Amino acid sequence: MSRAEQKERTRQAIINAAFSQLSAEKGFASLSLREVAREAGIAPTSFYRHFADMDELGLTLVDEAGLMLRQLMRQARLRIEKNGSVINTSVETFMEFVADNSNVFRLLLRERSGTSAAFRAAVAREIQHFSAELAHYLRKQTDCKAEQAQLQAEAMVTLVFHTGADALDAPKEHYAHLTRRTVLQLRWLAHGAASYGRKISS
Amino acid sequence: MSRAEQKERTRQAIINAAFSQLSAEKGFASLSLREVAREAGIAPTSFYRHFADMDELGLTLVDEAGLMLRQLMRQARLRIEKNGSVINTSVETFMEFVADNSNVFRLLLRERSGTSAAFRAAVAREIQHFSAELAHYLRKQTDCKAEQAQLQAEAMVTLVFHTGADALDAPKEHYAHLTRRTVLQLRWLAHGAASYGRKISS
DNA sequence: TAAATTAGCGAACAGGTGTAAGCTCAAAGT
DNA sequence: ACTTTGAGCTTACACCTGTTCGCTAATTTA
């Protein structure tokens, strides 16, 4: 095994160790370099061969989380093409993502309002991507001004993310109920934005 | 000075010390018993005469924050009676609250998705109160089903809180812009909920 | 083949943490 | 006036933290 290859492998071991230690009870801030190193199977000091400090590791985790968010969007688009019902399919896909990647979603959720400005900015950027894609979609679907589409998309993302946060503390049998509620909220929003816009322009 | 009186005084000193140490860079989780005690002007061990541990102090802080939230609602109602424009006045009042009590709002925001289930539950309860009052108001204003009013209120609160979170990282000259955007989102929601409901019932 | 690079390790340090034990001494209760 | 109570203190302990230094051993380069 080549040297660079091995290095990349333990780098991934560190990242995985960090993700696995994130949980409902433990946020990134309360992660310790030594514990992460222990789980990754290296000495504490070897950590520095890969990251300058914990913050750098944290930003890497946020990047990975953003990547998964983009995978989620792709999957949602695929399902929508087959299924049709846009809002319902999107929310259902999102809820599955939250259920299957709780720790990843939790990271985004927490660091969005966390103590590090850099983390907050990084998360905000990822979510911004998310909203922008949705806005683009909305503009194609219903013809409206760009600014308006963006604003609507952000409201939708906010509502869906909030439901995701609730889902983390709810038993799985409540998911369907949460989904139904959110779908209704999004429909109101879409309906209102469309008719309100028409009223203004008329 | 009576004994009970003095005890209450240092208890408040502890609470104030804790609030003052909360900031954009420091969340409750990274608060240390010793530092809080130092700022409160007591020995670390004396802390235990007032709280069993930091968690108990934290729940007390959340309670105080909830209290301020209720003051905020009262103030908003007063202003609405004079001013008229419900949504606009509410959002403006809320934004002022966030600006004037950043640390209090930050506490609610962070612990809502924090690492302690007890904290999350406590914050959720306070916000639930908030939404319930708004729902009550909506029902009086526009006649609709109770469940629908509640759902609409929760969406509104979610959007407003999210804007508050953004405001914490934005310079004050952006507040007006943020307010305008949020007002528009809320109007869409109200408009959509009203007409969507009518469409269903007809 | 010889030299240079470097991932990983062990030992050690300085500083922070929560909390237990036991004391003082002024207020409250009898 | 005597006793009890309890807020606050000092000391002490055990533990965990991030980080520096110098070393080893294996891969890569020349």
Side-chain angles (χ1 to χ4, degrees):
Chain A
M1 187 182 341
S2 92
R3 189 120 119 180
E5 191 180 350
Q6 173 59 29
K7 175 160 187 180
E8 180 57 27
R9 196 166 297 198
T10 78
R11 185 189 145 94
Q12 275 301 326
I14 294 175
I15 292 176
N16 291 339
F19 264 126
S20 100
Q21 294 195 2
L22 291 176
S23 68
E25 299 81 22
K26 206 159 188 175
F28 180 81
S30 63
L31 236 62
S32 105
L33 185 152
R34 288 177 109 107
E35 274 189 48
V36 170
R38 205 174 303 142
E39 180 157 339
I42 59 173
T45 54
S46 302
F47 178 92
Y48 295 104
R49 301 287 185 198
H50 303 271
F51 300 96
D53 49 26
M54 286 296 278
D55 281 7
E56 203 174 292
L57 170 59
L59 290 176
T60 305
L61 295 189
V62 173
D63 277 1
E64 296 246 332
L67 218 86
M68 296 198 199
L69 224 48
R70 269 167 250 180
Q71 286 174 13
L72 162 66
M73 279 186 292
R74 245 174 290 150
Q75 196 183 337
R77 261 199 300 269
L78 287 180
R79 287 208 204 170
I80 287 172
E81 284 177 15
K82 285 184 190 167
N83 193 322
S85 168
V86 183
I87 288 183
N88 200 57
T89 307
S90 299
V91 175
E92 274 178 5
T93 309
F94 188 86
M95 292 296 278
E96 281 176 31
F97 168 77
V98 171
D100 295 345
N101 308 71
S102 313
N103 287 358
V104 175
F105 182 67
R106 243 192 284 263
L107 178 78
L108 289 173
L109 209 67
R110 287 194 176 137
E111 299 311 324
R112 179 162 65 146
S113 57
T115 60
S116 155
F119 280 29
R120 284 196 303 264
V123 173
R125 220 186 43 227
E126 299 297 342
I127 297 184
Q128 170 62 22
H129 271 304
F130 198 79
S131 306
E133 283 221 27
L134 178 56
H136 183 75
Y137 185 89
L138 287 176
R139 256 198 112 185
K140 278 199 305 186
Q141 194 89 351
T142 72
D143 60 331
C144 59
K145 290 181 202 140
E147 202 184 341
Q148 186 170 328
Q150 178 65 25
L151 194 54
Q152 185 185 343
E154 285 178 21
M156 287 179 154
V157 169
T158 300
L159 290 174
V160 173
F161 264 63
H162 180 259
T163 303
D166 279 354
L168 287 176
D169 272 335
K172 293 234 166 114
E173 54 262 35
H174 287 186
Y175 276 36
H177 182 230
L178 287 173
T179 301
R180 239 182 300 126
R181 286 167 53 97
T182 308
V183 166
L184 199 48
Q185 289 175 332
L186 296 190
R187 292 226 169 103
W188 288 342
L189 199 54
H191 197 79
S195 72
Y196 204 85
R198 255 183 266 127
K199 194 173 71 180
I200 292 288
S201 70
S202 71
Chain B
M1 189 184 337
S2 91
R3 191 121 120 178
E5 192 180 350
Q6 173 59 28
K7 175 160 187 179
E8 180 56 28
R9 196 167 297 199
T10 79
R11 185 189 146 96
Q12 275 301 325
I14 293 175
I15 293 175
N16 291 339
F19 263 126
S20 101
Q21 294 195 2
L22 292 176
S23 69
E25 298 82 24
K26 205 157 189 177
F28 181 81
S30 64
L31 236 61
S32 104
L33 185 152
R34 288 177 108 107
E35 275 189 48
V36 170
R38 203 174 304 140
E39 179 158 338
I42 59 173
T45 52
S46 302
F47 178 93
Y48 296 104
R49 301 286 185 198
H50 302 270
F51 301 97
D53 50 27
M54 285 296 279
D55 281 8
E56 202 174 294
L57 170 60
L59 289 177
T60 305
L61 295 189
V62 173
D63 276 1
E64 296 246 331
L67 219 84
M68 296 197 200
L69 226 47
R70 271 166 249 179
Q71 286 174 14
L72 163 66
M73 277 187 293
R74 246 174 288 148
Q75 195 183 337
R77 262 200 299 269
L78 287 180
R79 285 207 204 170
I80 288 172
E81 283 179 15
K82 285 184 189 168
N83 192 322
S85 169
V86 183
I87 288 184
N88 200 59
T89 307
S90 298
V91 177
E92 275 178 5
T93 309
F94 188 84
M95 293 295 278
E96 282 176 32
F97 169 77
V98 171
D100 296 345
N101 308 72
S102 312
N103 287 357
V104 174
F105 181 68
R106 245 192 284 263
L107 178 77
L108 289 173
L109 209 67
R110 287 194 176 134
E111 300 311 324
R112 179 163 63 146
S113 58
T115 59
S116 155
F119 280 29
R120 286 197 302 266
V123 172
R125 220 185 43 227
E126 299 296 341
I127 297 183
Q128 171 62 22
H129 270 305
F130 198 79
S131 306
E133 284 221 25
L134 178 56
H136 184 73
Y137 185 89
L138 288 174
R139 256 199 112 184
K140 278 199 303 187
Q141 194 88 351
T142 73
D143 59 330
C144 57
K145 288 178 203 142
E147 203 183 340
Q148 187 170 327
Q150 178 65 26
L151 194 53
Q152 185 185 343
E154 284 179 21
M156 289 180 154
V157 168
T158 300
L159 290 174
V160 173
F161 264 64
H162 180 259
T163 303
D166 280 354
L168 286 176
D169 271 336
K172 293 233 168 117
E173 53 263 34
H174 288 186
Y175 276 36
H177 183 230
L178 287 173
T179 302
R180 237 181 303 127
R181 286 166 53 96
T182 309
V183 166
L184 198 48
Q185 289 176 331
L186 297 190
R187 291 224 170 104
W188 288 342
L189 199 55
H191 197 80
S195 72
Y196 204 85
R198 255 182 268 126
K199 195 173 70 178
I200 293 288
S201 68
S202 69

